[in-house]
Amino acid sequence: MATQQRRERERAQRETLIVNAAREMAEADGWPSVTIRKLAERIEYSQPVLYSHFAGRGAIIDAVALQGIAELTAVFKAARTAAEPGDELAALAQAYLDFATANPALFEAIFTLAEGLTFGVDAPEVLKAAFAELYAVFAPLAGDRDPDAFTEVGWAAIHGLAVLNRGGRLRPDLLEQRLSILLERFARP
Amino acid sequence: MATQQRRERERAQRETLIVNAAREMAEADGWPSVTIRKLAERIEYSQPVLYSHFAGRGAIIDAVALQGIAELTAVFKAARTAAEPGDELAALAQAYLDFATANPALFEAIFTLAEGLTFGVDAPEVLKAAFAELYAVFAPLAGDRDPDAFTEVGWAAIHGLAVLNRGGRLRPDLLEQRLSILLERFARP
DNA sequence: TCACAATCCTAGCATCGCTAGACATTCGAG
DNA sequence: CTCGAATGTCTAGCGATGCTAGGATTGTGA
């Protein structure tokens, strides 16, 4: 019947409703205040409904993280394609750091809270696409080194800056100098 | 009275007992399973005793983190002084990554769980000492760049590798190549 | 119309961090 | 030596958490 399809469509709608609500609540008041009860009240359903969509609170965070990774990938691509030739790395790094400061809760979900995401060979397509964007920027700069390893190191450098900066571990007045040093280290062979 | 001093000594002993127990439990079963109740049972006191030493669970984690930073500093110093001249960076990076994999819970406490630690100008002495160790390795390599900023970038690169590796985000078979690329990027002028 | 299936909610369990107030112990002044 | 006061510790409990069992309600298809 067509009713079946409508049901599935409504279910999918409600699922994104949950994910969006969780993300907004986290961005507003932090992840600890994203509780099942408040989330249920927000979407105007009872708590067990959430468990018919997700295995638990952790799975909801994972879903938010996955959505965030997709957005991050889009941001990467936009930065890379909009950059002047030779400035791709600068654009990528800037986009990465901006994303981290603009969406702290989302960033946290992706890199420290998500625990149900699998990596490696059988990772979801979204993850591979995100790394592919990094690869597109770093691989041309790798020279005779392994492009994958080179990408990972470059990624780690940017990510480290983002993480330490988010934790208040770095001097705010050196922000620009850090970025220029980073670029200078990885931009040329 | 001398009783007073004995009391303080016993209190200090019990405080380190708490911190050590928390750390061991976290390293054994992860931080979520370090609950006030289990911690109290472990040290054979009731729960309110813990609150006479620490403001709450978060403060206990902070104490563990602070102790971990002190250890990390010692590891840095040992690696640096034991290294052949010119190999200080390699020794530091190796020590950093080893520390992260050997003490995952401690590492987590330091860099993602601790929230009561203050940084910047009025940071505890332990934190400054830790950064000073990094500075001792990176500053000589800074050339004409700001040595502080250079140190922060180098630290971020190593830290990023540690964090992403801990989250299973990096290819295990590229571990050595990543390290050599990192060194090559920061070791020479 | 009616039996059945899918959907949803109420109510509750175990556990968490944390705290008030009672109890016990030790101290110091008279 | 005595006895109130101060200190230290514990029992019991509060509010809130993630999660789930079982009943009520709705909608479906014969």
Side-chain angles (χ1 to χ4, degrees), chain A residues 67-77 95-96 99 107 110-111 130:
Chain A
Q67 174 177 304
I69 291 173
E71 283 185 30
L72 193 54
T73 306
V75 169
F76 287 167
K77 172 167 282 178
Y96 201 105
F99 187 89
F107 195 80
I110 296 174
F111 288 107

Side-chain angles (χ1 to χ4, degrees), chain B residues 61-155:
Chain B
I61 297 178
D62 291 347
V64 173
L66 212 58
Q67 173 178 304
I69 291 173
E71 283 184 32
L72 193 54
T73 306
V75 169
F76 288 167
K77 172 167 282 179
R80 179 171 58 86
T81 55
E84 300 286 323
D87 287 349
E88 288 89 354
L89 178 54
L92 176 74
Q94 191 64 252
Y96 202 104
L97 298 177
D98 288 348
F99 187 89
T101 55
N103 316 286
L106 191 56
F107 196 80
E108 188 182 3
I110 296 174
F111 288 108
T112 78
L113 261 36
E115 293 183 345
L117 303 184
T118 51
F119 302 93
V121 285
D122 50 342
E125 212 55 43
V126 192
L127 290 182
K128 293 182 179 175
F131 186 81
E133 271 303 320
L134 298 172
Y135 187 91
V137 171
F138 279 106
L141 305 169
D144 56 350
R145 300 155 205 89
D146 183 297
D148 280 305
F150 191 82
T151 302
E152 290 187 338
V153 175
W155 175 25

Side-chain angles (χ1 to χ4, degrees), chain A residues 110 152 169 178 184, chain B residues 110 145 152 169 178 184:
Chain A
I110 296 174
E152 290 187 338
R169 253 89 162 178
R178 283 193 298 269
E184 166 223 4
Chain B
I110 296 174
R145 300 155 205 89
E152 290 187 338
R169 253 86 162 180
R178 283 193 297 269
E184 167 223 4

